[in-house]
Amino acid sequence: MRRFSRRAPLNPAKRSGSARCCLFSGGVELYGQQAKLGLDLAARDINAAGGILGRPVEVIYVDDKTRPGSAAEAMRSLVEKQNVLATVGPITSQNLNALVPIAESSKTPLLYATNYEGGKCSRYLFSFGAVPNQELGQLLPYMSRTFGNTYFLLGADRVWPHQMFGIAQPLIEKLGGKVVATKYTLGTEHDFSPLIGEIAASKAKVLLFALKGDGMDFIRQADEAGLLKEITVAFLGLSEVDLGIFRGKGQNMVTVVPAVAASEDPAVKAFVAKARAVAEPGVAVSNYVMTHYNTLIALKAAAEKAGKLDKEAIIDAMAGLAVPSPTGPVTLGQHHHAAMSMFIARTQGSELVQVRPLGKIAPEPGCSPAGR
């Protein structure tokens, strides 16, 4: 949905294969690296257990440069030249929009593990990330009850923030709240002082924030200017991988996520420890690791349910499938979106900490199987 560029197709090979990777690029590389960590971990676990139907999994990584044209070219090459069984990715909504038609025309499963604005139902698309009712629909009521119901909306001038804010506005009004202003950045800003002043003057109680990638320095500047003493940030898509960027700034920001790495739950602790054991030193483990891990686990389960490595048979087996996950079972509905556990969390020090478990929440993707 909004963040980075990578295409990670899957090829159950006749021999054991190592992942091949080029550098990720385009402004949201941190999230692509999280995706790679989750995929590598899943491939390692699957291959250690005998592969998929007795064949090892090879993950081939290609940089889509966070550009729709590059993403489309990469996916065509992987399908036509590498004969992959499935693809995983991308990060940004713009690239997702470019890839769904290719998944449909090539009849290749596209497994998407990033939270996004919803609205895409296709036979060939499977979403393992949160959609708005699982994220915004849980975050906004909590923010309005806890911090106030006047909102300033700040996002990047990209597909995901525009779509999410369009969904947020009526939800805020339904909660009895008010949006006092909405602003989008162009990605060229370095000094956010004028914007910080405008937000402070608005007297809003909540800053709904969807400014990933090139706008993350806003948080440090806003904190240093004292803005975050007057307003509470409701941060869409926040994860542990972002916290290092803030350099200790931006405490007590609130988000809703499908996993919290600092959780005391034994299954989550075991998963995080396993991921850290194979990650590069200092690399964070976020919910993006888990959601991308889940894509390969689901692919294995669907192939074994189908009994063959056939794309159409795997797609048929994937709908309605329930697969294990560190936070509890993930269930793919007939609309190919995942019901999963969600959590309210906040920033504390260098971590996200759990505020409240929300239980398993079914997705409302904004489309139906009839639209497939």
Side-chain angles (χ1 to χ4, degrees):
M1 258 240 350
R2 34 255 169 275
R3 350 233 216 262
F4 142 94
S5 53
R6 138 251 63 189
R7 182 109 323 283
L10 312 165
N11 184 4
K14 294 182 179 178
R15 66 191 192 293
S16 177
S18 60
R20 294 181 297 230
C21 176
C22 57
L23 292 175
F24 300 145
S25 63
V28 279
E29 294 86 341
L30 287 176
Y31 313 106
Q33 291 161 5
Q34 293 286 290
K36 182 179 184 299
L37 176 56
L39 293 168
D40 286 347
L41 190 60
R44 176 173 148 167
D45 285 354
I46 290 169
N47 288 337
I52 298 178
L53 297 177
R55 297 173 68 178
V57 173
E58 178 185 15
V59 184
I60 304 168
Y61 294 98
V62 180
D63 184 5
D64 70 11
K65 303 176 184 178
T66 318
R67 296 200 296 263
S70 297
E73 181 181 353
M75 185 167 180
R76 289 193 190 97
S77 176
L78 290 164
V79 172
E80 296 169 5
K81 297 179 181 179
Q82 300 284 355
N83 193 31
V84 297
L85 180 67
T87 58
V88 180
I91 293 294
T92 65
S93 291
Q94 189 176 32
N95 280 9
L96 177 65
N97 292 341
L99 295 184
V100 170
I102 298 172
E104 293 172 338
S105 63
S106 66
K107 298 184 177 181
T108 299
L110 175 60
L111 313 180
Y112 189 56
T114 303
N115 53 311
Y116 85 117
E117 65 277 2
K120 290 198 173 298
C121 287
S122 167
R123 173 170 173 79
Y124 298 96
L125 174 66
F126 292 86
S127 172
F128 292 82
V131 291
N133 78 291
Q134 295 168 307
E135 185 179 16
L136 269 177
Q138 311 306 313
L139 180 60
L140 294 177
Y142 176 79
M143 298 303 296
S144 291
R145 288 194 307 266
T146 310
F147 302 104
N149 63 358
T150 51
Y151 287 77
F152 195 109
L153 278 48
L154 176 61
D157 191 17
R158 296 181 179 179
V159 172
W160 177 64
H162 278 278
Q163 294 291 327
M164 292 297 278
F165 289 171
I167 294 166
Q169 176 101 27
L171 288 177
I172 291 169
E173 293 172 354
K174 187 175 181 180
L175 290 165
K178 179 182 179 181
V179 175
V180 299
T182 302
K183 292 287 183 177
Y184 297 96
T185 65
L186 300 177
T188 57
E189 298 86 352
H190 298 288
D191 180 4
F192 290 97
S193 298
L195 182 56
I196 291 167
E198 182 178 352
I199 296 169
S202 77
K203 303 297 183 182
K205 294 298 183 182
V206 177
L207 175 63
L208 185 61
F209 191 80
L211 189 53
K212 302 278 279 188
D214 47 27
M216 296 291 264
D217 198 46
F218 171 89
I219 295 295
R220 291 199 301 269
Q221 293 184 31
D223 196 329
E224 290 165 358
L227 177 66
L228 303 191
K229 296 177 182 178
E230 307 298 329
I231 195 169
T232 303
V233 177
F235 201 126
L236 296 179
L238 179 64
S239 74
E240 289 84 353
V241 74
D242 301 310
L243 301 184
I245 300 172
F246 303 142
R247 302 174 193 166
K249 305 295 183 180
Q251 296 297 301
N252 296 311
M253 299 188 296
V254 184
T255 192
V256 170
V257 289
V260 180
S263 170
E264 291 300 316
D265 182 274
V268 176
K269 290 182 74 172
F271 179 81
V272 171
K274 183 167 62 172
R276 285 178 175 157
V278 301
E280 295 291 329
V283 171
V285 176
S286 73
N287 67 84
Y288 295 113
V289 176
M290 187 194 75
T291 56
H292 285 83
Y293 179 93
N294 291 344
T295 64
L296 266 65
I297 301 303
L299 182 70
K300 172 181 169 68
E304 291 176 347
K305 180 180 176 182
K308 54 184 175 180
L309 294 177
D310 174 82
K311 293 179 182 180
E312 297 291 349
I314 286 171
I315 288 168
D316 289 337
M318 191 93 77
L321 191 69
V323 296
S325 168
T327 59
V330 171
T331 305
L332 288 163
Q334 295 302 313
H335 41 48
H336 296 184
H337 288 67
M340 56 189 166
S341 299
M342 300 296 294
F343 305 85
I344 296 175
R346 64 180 176 85
T347 53
Q348 179 179 294
S350 60
E351 294 182 325
L352 280 181
V353 296
Q354 182 175 306
V355 173
R356 181 183 302 169
L358 298 169
K360 187 173 183 178
I361 299 175
E364 298 172 7
C367 52
S368 66
R372 297 187 303 172

